Amino acid sequence: MDSPGASMAARVRALVAAHRGDRGALLPILHRIQAEFGYVDPDLVPLLAVELNLSRADVHGVITFYTDFRSGPAGRALVRLCRAEACQSVGAEQLVAHAEQVLGIKVGQTTPDGSVTLEQVFCLGNCALGPAGQINERVQGRLTPARLEALMVEAVHS
Amino acid sequence: MTAPVTVYVPRDSAALSVGADQVAKELERAAARVGRPIRLIRNGSRGMLWLEPLVEVVTERGRVGYGPVESSRVGDLVAAGLFDGADHDLCQGVVDQLPWLREQTRLCFARVGVTDPLSPEDYLAHGGLLGLRRALELPAADVVAEVTESGLRGRGGAGFPAGIKWKTVADTPGPLKFVCCNADEGDSGTFADRMLMEGDPFTLIEGMTIAARAVGAQEGYIYIRSEYPDAVRTMRRAIDVARAEGWLGADILGSGLRFDLFVRVGAGAYICGEETAMLESLEGKRGMVRAKPPIPAITGLFGKPTVVNNVLTLASVPAILADGAAAYRDLGVERSRGTQVFQLAGNIARGGIFETAFGMNLRELIHRYGGGTLSGRPVRAVQVGGPLGAYLPESGLDLPLEYEAFVAAGAMLGHGGIVVFDDTVDMAAMARFAMEFCAEESCGKCTPCRVGAVRGVEVIDRIVAGQDPDGNLALLNDLCELMTEGSLCAMGGLTPMPVRSALLHFPDDFTAR
């Protein structure tokens, strides 16, 4: 991957500056970076380390510890299906299998055309209305294969 | 010109997940079409989640509810006289009089679903700030004493007495102390923290401010998991409102108390619900569990004395201060005092929030209020207390809902999340999942958890495949014992609980097919 463009670097410096007074600012900064660019470019590690007076190992270690931070962009629709116990009790595994089959990818992958990224998640706090999923940040409940497909189509084209 | 009709449509994310936003839009459109002015309020959820989206209309009789409402039926409902509270097959009657709600004792959730979550006027009109005002009049030590005497125990799962924790922080001198709220509600089958933050955020703010007053803290953090974007938004807006109202900041309610509050968002790590991992994460680090001692009450966030409590623990405090410790202690049984917010989840016909005094029978809660399974099939297993809680067989449901009775039954009440499974569940698969989840979410600091969980999956696979079942069962038992005794925190330490309970109650599921 190329080193982050000058504009991205400048923007990241500005984000760091905005959180200068915060205690333990690395996580809020990483969230801001991901919200803005859709991912946290691994090439930002040295820059963040210098700006925050941390070692590169520390910054890399934090980014890779948390599953939310991705190293490359996600598909246009980010589909996360809950696989925790409550959703399993109402058919989450069958729903995941259906999504994998329809999309032709496995959990953790993005379709070759870049339209859908499929991920698993453990609990969205919608445990009485499962199976639950989250499509581009919006939680969905009582998902059926048909409803999931309709929501994915809608998300890809919106 | 007729006065506008007040209509409530929840903004709770569970309601949104089944179309509440579309219903709200359709209602406004239909109201305009029939020329009927309405005042639309987006409330929290009443917690009867099988009725969501639940539309409520204010009438002379009270708030009349309709649910579950699909947006395609709004036109039909309005034509049938929804705005006048008319009868319809979706009409549930006056919501406050529904037995499911009336038979609860709502302290924590008193305002959730009733008020506009971000309206300070609503909050005050429904008893908000009474607890904080009383706390500001009392000496700090008396506030701690009140919480101790109430018998309030941590609602996050461990059930540690809140007053003792607060006293430790209060007695530890230091120029800087923190109050941290653990809102990393990662356990499957739990959603009460989320619903409280989305439905009545000021209660949490008030509870944290009382804690700050009691222990002498100046700064507070609410650590909310990233899976809850709506709760994050609502909490942040509520904090802004509270600052503007003088409920937070340099001179709270003119008392001279200084306390400010910040929301921090997790990043998809279940382990950050463990209090020391949460503190590490708040410090901007990997969410690695700390060895205890030192305890967070003495050496907590950035090494300072820190109160760490769950959302519902802190949200219980305003009512305790407002009504007094005795009123709270009078509820419940044995050493489980007050109310617990139970969450009915999974394969359940009527899932949602049921807040009641400790002591109710688990079977009664599941069958009488929960209505049994959603699928209509027999209940086979119930997991109480999240992914680290035991699986109970149907024959073991006659348990009073209180901490010690569950411990005696080899189970854990935990956070009060109740996940129901019907007779199609494969308990060997659930046991395997418990180990798989632990392997996925372990922070990796201690070996029993990091390696043990991976080995656990492998051993269960061998048992189910019929490879030397006796030898491998003995090995699995050994492994469970080692994880229980040797892990640094509850993640590795309690993962054997679902595994062993599944083995104990459902041994046939583990034999080769």
Side-chain angles (χ1 to χ4, degrees):
Chain A
M1 201 177 283
D2 295 336
S3 64
S7 63
M8 190 191 266
R11 185 64 200 134
V12 168
R13 282 196 189 89
L15 288 178
V16 173
H19 286 272
R20 191 66 77 189
D22 291 0
R23 298 182 196 273
L26 180 54
L27 244 69
I29 291 169
L30 291 173
H31 274 302
R32 292 278 297 267
I33 292 173
Q34 179 142 312
E36 206 153 306
F37 300 104
Y39 63 103
V40 180
D41 192 326
D43 290 350
L44 287 171
V45 169
L47 171 67
L48 286 168
V50 169
E51 289 289 325
L52 293 165
N53 197 23
L54 296 167
S55 75
R56 279 183 286 175
D58 282 336
V59 176
H60 172 79
V62 169
I63 294 173
T64 52
F65 182 85
Y66 296 98
T67 48
D68 278 5
F69 301 125
R70 56 181 74 253
S71 56
R76 283 193 296 285
L78 176 57
V79 177
R80 306 170 84 197
L81 297 179
C82 177
R83 294 182 99 165
E85 288 87 345
C87 284
Q88 285 191 35
S89 77
V90 283
E93 288 304 305
Q94 291 90 309
L95 191 69
V96 170
H98 179 82
E100 287 185 335
Q101 199 234 325
V102 168
L103 297 170
I105 54 172
K106 293 284 171 198
V107 162
Q109 297 178 336
T110 302
T111 54
D113 66 350
S115 60
V116 179
T117 296
L118 181 65
E119 291 183 348
Q120 64 179 0
V121 60
F122 294 113
C123 198
L124 296 163
N126 198 21
C127 318
L129 293 174
Q134 198 176 31
I135 299 171
N136 291 344
E137 280 233 329
R138 169 56 60 220
V139 178
Q140 303 290 347
R142 291 275 187 256
L143 283 172
T144 59
R147 207 164 97 76
L148 175 63
E149 281 181 45
L151 288 165
M152 288 197 294
V153 169
E154 192 187 308
V156 169
H157 292 109
S158 65
Chain B
M1 166 110 191
T2 44
V5 185
T6 304
V7 181
Y8 291 86
V9 180
R11 48 181 287 161
D12 179 275
S13 48
L16 299 182
S17 84
V18 285
D21 271 348
Q22 291 89 312
V23 169
K25 262 188 222 128
E26 281 302 320
L27 275 167
E28 285 188 312
R29 231 175 266 156
R33 208 165 46 230
V34 298
R36 189 78 184 259
I38 63 168
R39 190 168 75 105
L40 182 66
I41 295 176
R42 301 304 299 271
N43 54 338
S45 167
R46 295 276 200 158
M48 299 179 287
L49 295 176
W50 74 98
L51 291 178
E52 294 293 355
L54 176 72
V55 175
E56 288 178 77
V57 178
V58 176
T59 72
E60 280 175 6
R61 289 185 291 147
R63 281 161 66 161
V64 175
Y66 298 84
V69 176
E70 282 176 39
S71 56
S72 58
R73 297 202 66 184
V74 168
D76 166 39
L77 274 161
V78 168
L82 171 129
F83 293 137
D84 301 304
D87 204 15
H88 188 275
D89 63 333
L90 293 180
C91 182
Q92 303 292 329
V94 176
V95 173
D96 285 329
Q97 290 167 17
L98 295 176
W100 212 84
L101 269 184
R102 215 182 45 216
E103 289 167 24
Q104 299 193 33
T105 305
R106 288 200 166 187
L107 298 179
C108 237
F109 267 64
R111 281 176 291 260
V112 177
V114 176
T115 57
D116 175 349
L118 290 168
S119 159
E121 297 78 21
D122 258 17
Y123 189 64
L124 293 175
H126 288 83
L129 294 191
L130 293 178
L132 177 59
R133 286 186 204 282
R134 175 140 183 272
L136 291 171
E137 286 162 11
L138 292 173
D142 290 6
V143 179
V144 175
E146 195 87 13
V147 172
T148 307
E149 283 160 24
S150 75
L152 176 67
R153 293 167 66 175
R155 296 289 188 251
F160 189 81
I164 293 177
K165 199 183 265 186
W166 286 23
K167 187 166 190 321
T168 309
V169 179
D171 290 348
T172 306
L176 180 61
K177 299 182 189 180
F178 296 105
V179 175
C180 292
C181 172
N182 186 343
D184 194 61
E185 187 180 47
D187 285 357
S188 176
T190 61
F191 43 85
D193 294 356
R194 177 186 64 66
M195 287 185 61
L196 186 109
M197 290 188 286
E198 293 178 8
D200 189 19
F202 295 131
T203 296
L204 179 56
I205 294 172
E206 184 180 348
M208 291 183 74
T209 309
I210 294 170
R213 154 76 184 149
V215 304
Q218 299 80 27
E219 229 173 276
Y221 291 90
I222 307 174
Y223 186 90
I224 308 177
R225 60 202 298 260
S226 62
E227 290 83 352
Y228 287 180
D230 293 309
V232 169
R233 270 188 292 271
T234 305
M235 250 357 285
R236 285 193 165 137
R237 285 176 59 194
I239 288 171
D240 288 341
V241 172
R243 280 197 196 113
E245 295 286 325
W247 303 351
L248 284 173
D251 181 20
I252 292 170
L253 297 176
S255 68
L257 177 69
R258 169 192 287 271
F259 179 64
D260 209 355
L261 202 49
F262 307 91
V263 169
R264 285 294 169 87
V265 183
Y270 173 79
I271 194 60
C272 291
E274 196 284 334
E275 62 173 354
T276 62
M278 183 192 83
L279 294 175
E280 290 286 303
S281 187
L282 278 171
E283 292 182 9
K285 301 175 191 159
R286 293 162 66 90
M288 304 287 278
V289 171
R290 295 179 186 169
K292 286 192 273 192
I295 56 171
I298 294 168
T299 307
L301 187 63
F302 297 103
K304 309 293 181 210
T306 304
V307 170
V308 183
N309 279 142
N310 164 264
V311 174
L312 300 184
T313 315
L314 290 160
S316 296
V317 167
I320 290 170
L321 265 292
D323 303 331
Y328 196 78
R329 201 182 46 225
D330 286 347
L331 297 165
V333 292
E334 306 292 329
R335 285 170 53 213
S336 304
R337 312 311 307 187
T339 61
Q340 170 74 302
V341 181
F342 295 102
Q343 297 133 81
L344 287 166
N347 197 329
I348 186 110
R350 295 194 291 269
I353 291 291
F354 202 94
E355 181 174 359
T356 183
F358 285 99
M360 180 180 275
N361 180 290
L362 175 60
R363 182 187 303 278
E364 184 187 4
L365 183 56
I366 290 171
H367 286 285
R368 178 162 167 208
Y369 295 102
T373 61
L374 177 69
S375 61
R377 302 182 66 96
V379 172
R380 179 152 190 253
V382 175
Q383 188 179 33
V384 183
L388 307 176
Y391 285 102
L392 298 165
E394 210 280 334
S395 60
L397 298 184
D398 284 307
L399 266 184
L401 290 157
E402 55 125 333
Y403 293 110
E404 277 70 36
F406 267 67
V407 172
M412 180 174 83
L413 186 60
H415 189 300
I418 296 166
V419 179
V420 177
F421 295 81
D422 72 11
D423 63 350
T424 61
V425 67
D426 173 355
M427 292 308 296
M430 298 318 295
R432 184 189 193 277
F433 176 76
M435 286 290 189
E436 198 188 342
F437 181 69
C438 183
E440 178 81 23
E441 297 293 342
S442 173
C443 81
K445 185 156 179 169
C446 72
T447 318
C449 176
R450 184 186 64 243
V451 180
V454 179
R455 292 288 171 264
V457 173
E458 295 166 0
V459 176
I460 293 173
D461 280 346
R462 286 203 291 272
I463 293 168
V464 173
Q467 295 172 21
D468 182 17
D470 292 345
N472 278 308
L473 275 170
L475 194 61
L476 181 60
N477 266 313
D478 261 10
L479 179 66
C480 283
E481 199 167 310
L482 182 117
M483 287 176 72
T484 306
E485 301 298 327
S487 298
L488 202 50
C489 80
M491 173 99 230
L494 290 176
T495 291
M497 197 183 264
V499 176
R500 286 181 133 168
S501 58
L503 268 170
L504 177 69
H505 300 300
F506 308 94
D508 292 350
D509 287 24
F510 289 81
T511 52
R513 275 146 287 181

